[in-house]
Amino acid sequence: MSIVLAAIDNSAAAQPVIDMAKALAVAFGGSVEALHVADELGETATAVAEHHSVPCRVVSGDPVAAITERALSDDVIGVVVGARGSARARAVGHVAVEIVGSIAKPVLVVPPNISTHVKWRTALIAMKGTPNTVRHLDAIIRWATTARIDVVVVHVDTDESLPSFSDQAAHATTSYAEEFRARFLSSVTNARLELRVGDPVEQILDVADAVGADVVVVGWTEHRRTPTRAIAIDILERCRVPVLLITQNP
Amino acid sequence: MTSNLPAPATAGWSVTRRGFDIDRLRVDGSLFCLADGRVGTSGAALAEHAGCERFVLIGATYAGEGPDSRLVTGPIAMQLPYAMAAEPTISRVLDLRGGVLHEEVSTTKGTLSSIRFSSLARPGTAVMRAQCPSPYPEGPALLPPAGDAAEDLGHDGDAMWMRVRAAGGGVVAAAVDDVDQNVVDRIAVYCTDSTRFPDPTEALRCVNEARAVGFDGLLAEHRDAWAGRWDEADVIIEGDDELQEAVRFALFTLMASVPDVGEAAVGARGLSGTGYRGHVFWDADTFTLPFLAATHAGSARAMLEYRIRRLPAALAAAAEGDRRGARFPWESARTGRDVTPTSARDRTGAVIPILTGTMEEHIVSQVAWGACEYADWTGDDAFIRGPGRELLLQTARYWASRVRADHFGFHIDGVIGPDEYHENVDDNAFTNVMARWNLRRAADSEEQFGADEIDDAEIATWREIADGLVDGYDPATGIYEQFAEFHSLEPLLIAEIAPRRPITADLLLGADRVHGAQVLKQADVLMLHHLVPDAVVVNSLGPNLDFYEPRTAHGSSLSPGVHASLFARAENYDAALEWLRVASRIDLDDITGSTAGGLHIATMGSVWQALAYGFAGLRPSEQSLEIDPHLPPTWTALELRVGFRDAKLCVRAEHDRLCVTTDRPTSVTIDSTAHQFGPGTLTLRRVGSEWKADQ
C-alpha cells in the first residue's frame, strides 16, 4: 500500500492540505492518511479528515519528529504539509524544510488560502542549471506524464550558466532546446520547454503564473549554502500554488 | 574474409573516447560522424541504446521548402541488432589519418567490435566490418531514416534497397551483408537525384561493384584517398600535442564535409548533425571555402558551383528589391531563395523578429570574396574568365544599385554587419569596405577579362562609388568607426564587466542594452583586417585591435579563430593561443553545448585560417604567395601544406629558419622580396628582423 501522508494542523490549512494530498495520491497511485500532531485533540483537523473519509492518526509531541518518524515508513511515498505549521513557524514552513531534508521523499508544501482543485492539470517543473539537478527530477517528470498532467519545464540560465556562443538566434536556440529535450526529457512526450534568462525565482514564478500551473516542482538539497536550496526557499515563500520539493541528496 | 580488425591510429592522429556517459552519447554522435562529402553517418554506436541519435544526412538534398527546409535523412545502415549492456562500456578511436572509426561496445550478448568508414574513394559508400559476440543473428541491412519516411523498399538477390523522397527528387540506398559466423561485413551505397525520384538500379549496381572489391580492398582505397588528402592539407604544430590533435580533427571534419564534384551546399553543421537544418550561410564562403581552395580545389569549386547555379535566384531577389545584379540570400538551401526564418523564440523566451534575412547583406560580397579566394589560390583561368567573372560582375552591380549618394560620398543604409548585436545600422564599416573591395575587384576583372556587354562608364561608376564609400576611418586615431554613431553608444568594455568571455552578451545584458552599447558579438572592423588586409589602411590593425577586442564578447563561434589570427599577426602570442585553443576545441569540448546538433564547420575553417593567414602569414595574390610567419615561443615549428596555382607547397616556419618546398616553379613573396624558384626548396634564415635566402 502506498500512502501519501497529509500532515494537518488544527487550522484552516487542513482542508487544502488534504485536498492536495488526495491529488498527489491520485497521481502517485496511493491513498491518503492524515496525521495530526497535537497535545490536545483538535476538532478541525479530525473533522476535515472525516469529511474526506481519510483515516487520521493523532499523536502528541514534536511535529517534525512525529511526521518524520511516520514518513520514514516504507509505505509512505510522500508528505503534504501546510506552509504555516503554527503561529511561531516561518512563512516558508520550517516543518516542510526539516522534513524534506530528513526523509528523501517528495514533500508537497501547500500555501494557505489556496483555492483547491480536485485534479491537477498543469505541473511546472523548474530545472535550473546543471544536469545533476535535472536528473533528480526525472522520476517526477515520469510521474507527471503517467498521471496525464501537462508538464511545462522551465530552464533558467543565470550569468554563470549563459552560453558562450549563440550564432543565429533562431537556430541556436532550437539546437539547444532539442539537445536539452533529448538529454533530459526524452521520456516525456507532452512536455513543453520554456527557456528563460535571469533571476531563477522571478522567472520560475513568472512562468508558473503564465501557464496557470497547479503545482510547481523544485529541487531541494540539504546543503544550506547551495543556490538550489535558496531558490527553493524563495519559491516556497512566494509561490501561490503548492510546491513539491524533491530532494536531490542520495 | 578475415575477422582481424586493423589497429587504431597513432598519437596526434586520433580522437579517443572511453567509458560511458549518457550525456555525451549525442555529442559523440557528432564527433564520430563519418562523412565523405556527400553523405554523413552519425557516430552513434552500432549497438542499440535509447540515448543514441542515429541519422544519415544526404548533402545538398533538402526536404521541405522555405525556412522549414532541411537536409533529408537517408536509410540507416550503421546499426546492428544488439542492445547495449545495462551498464555499458564503449571504447572508440577515430583514426584521422585513415578516416576510420574503431569501436568496442559491451552488449547484452558480449563485446561487439567494429571498424567502419565512409569511403572517400567512393563517396556515398558506407562500409563496416563487425566482430559480433555471437553468430550474427541476421537482420535488415537498412533501417528507416531518422527524420523522413521510407517511401518504399525491396530486395534484389541478397541486396536490400530503400528510397526516401526529397524536394524535387530523392535518395535511394542499397546495402548488402556478407556474413561469416560472427563477422559481418556491410556495404551501403547512397545515390541521390535532385530532379526525379531515383531508380534503385544505380545504387544496386554500385553496391554490387563495391562488394566485388571487398572490405579489405575498399578499406585500402579509402586509406589511400585520405593519405592523398592529408598530403595536400596537413598542418604540423611542433610544441603543442593537444593543439595538434585538435587541429587535425578540424581539418578532417572540413575535408569530410565537402564533395569535390558537382555542387556543394555546405550547411553550418556540414553533414555531422541536423542543427541549422543544412542551411548555407556566409560562413561557408568565408571560412570553409578558403581552406579547400588552398588544399583541394575541386571542393572549393563545388562550393562555388552551388552559388553559380543559384545566381538566377539571386538576380531575381535583387530585381524584386528594385536593385540590379545579384542579391544572394542570408540563408540558402535548395532553390537559392532566402530561407531565413522571420521570427523565433530566443533563449529568454521572447519571440523576436529575425532581421538577418533582410539586412545582413554583406553575404553578397562574401560570395564574391570566396570566388576570388578560389581564383587567387588556384589561378583557375576558366573560372576567372567565366563564372567567377559573372559572380563578381553581378555582385558589384548589386552594390552599385544599393548605395545612396550625398555630398559626403556614398552610403549603405539599414544593414546588419557580422556583429549582429546592432541591427539596422548605417554605413557599417564591414559592409561598406567589403562592397568597396567587391566593386574594385569587379572593375579590375572587367577591365582584364570583360566582354563588350559592360561599358566603360559602368566600370567607372563602380570605381567612383568605391572611392566615395564612407568607411568611418578616422586618421587621427587610426580607428574605423564600426557604423555611423557607434562612438556615441554607451562605452561598455565587455572584457571588464563580463564574468568571462566568450559569452552571449545580449543575454547577459539584455538585447536593448547591447543595442545601445559598444558591445560586440564579433568585431566587424577586425573581421576586415582578417579578410581583406589590403583593403584597410596600412598599420591600422594595432589601434583597431586595441580598441575593439575589449569591446568584443566573442559570442559568435567565428570570433575566436579570427582573433587568434589577428593576435598572431600582432605577435600577442598569449592572446593568439588562448583564442586558437577555444576555436580548436569548440566541439571536442562541446563548448557551445550544441555539438550534439552537429560540428561547427566554419569555426574549423577559422582554425585553419588562424594558422595559415595568421601564424604562417600566408596570402595568395594574383602574382605570388606571400609568407610572413609569426611563431609563438612555445612552438618549435609550424608546417603547412597548400596548393598554390599548379604547385604543391610545404611551408615550414621555425624561429630562425623558413623553408618552402615546391614541386613546380613557384613565386613567393617574403619581406617584400619575390622569390622565383622550384621545383625544390627555398631556405631562408632570420637575420635580425628580416628573412634572408640561403645562397
Side-chain angles (χ1 to χ4, degrees), chain B residues 530-565:
Chain B
H530 175 64
L531 297 179
V532 286
D534 294 335
V536 292
V537 174
V538 175
N539 294 328
S540 62
L541 172 60
N544 284 283
L545 194 54
D546 290 345
F547 181 80
Y548 281 110
E549 198 283 332
R551 290 165 170 78
T552 303
H554 301 288
S556 162
S557 64
L558 301 172
S559 193
V562 170
H563 282 77
S565 180

Side-chain angles (χ1 to χ4, degrees), chain A:
Chain A
M1 187 66 172
S2 298
I3 289 172
V4 174
L5 190 65
I8 55 175
D9 60 10
N10 205 31
S11 73
Q15 171 78 31
V17 166
I18 287 191
D19 272 338
M20 290 300 136
K22 289 174 72 174
L24 195 61
V26 168
F28 273 132
S31 61
V32 177
E33 174 187 303
L35 180 65
H36 177 47
V37 185
D39 292 333
E40 295 179 1
L41 186 61
E43 286 189 18
T44 299
T46 53
V48 169
E50 187 176 335
H51 175 73
H52 284 277
S53 304
V54 167
C56 182
R57 287 193 197 191
V58 181
V59 299
S60 61
D62 175 63
V64 171
I67 296 168
T68 301
E69 182 184 1
R70 178 68 187 109
L72 284 171
S73 302
D74 289 343
D75 58 347
V76 174
I77 56 173
V79 179
V80 182
V81 298
R84 300 172 197 274
S86 71
R88 290 175 297 149
R90 294 178 305 171
V92 296
H94 80 291
V95 172
V97 167
E98 292 188 41
I99 291 170
V100 72
S102 305
I103 65 171
K105 294 177 183 176
V107 174
L108 182 69
V109 182
V110 181
N113 306 320
I114 185 174
S115 68
T116 59
H117 299 292
V118 292
K119 179 171 170 38
W120 288 342
R121 294 184 300 267
T122 304
L124 182 86
I125 299 181
M127 290 182 170
K128 182 215 165 279
T130 68
N132 282 338
T133 308
V134 175
R135 277 285 139 69
H136 289 91
L137 296 173
D138 190 49
I140 223 69
I141 292 174
R142 279 188 273 110
W143 150 71
T145 305
T146 305
R148 297 187 177 181
I149 295 170
D150 289 339
V151 172
V152 178
V153 173
V154 58
H155 173 71
V156 185
D157 273 313
T158 62
D159 288 359
E160 290 74 30
S161 65
L162 282 176
S164 296
F165 303 103
S166 180
D167 287 331
Q168 299 290 310
H171 295 282
T173 306
T174 301
S175 287
Y176 180 82
E178 285 178 358
E179 175 61 6
F180 190 92
R181 284 176 178 280
R183 283 193 193 184
F184 307 119
L185 304 176
S186 59
S187 59
V188 191
T189 55
N190 62 337
R192 192 170 110 201
L193 177 61
E194 291 284 341
L195 299 176
R196 293 289 187 274
V197 174
D199 177 77
V201 175
E202 298 296 338
Q203 296 298 327
I204 290 166
L205 293 176
D206 184 56
V207 176
D209 279 349
V211 303
D214 300 299
V215 59
V216 172
V217 182
V218 298
W220 178 262
T221 173
E222 284 182 45
H223 304 297
R224 290 184 177 276
R225 293 186 179 178
T226 60
T228 302
R229 183 179 173 115
I231 290 167
I233 287 177
D234 268 3
I235 289 173
L236 278 172
E237 285 182 332
R238 296 173 53 188
C239 192
R240 291 185 290 194
V241 298
V243 177
L244 185 59
L245 298 170
I246 305 297
T247 185
Q248 297 174 3
N249 304 113

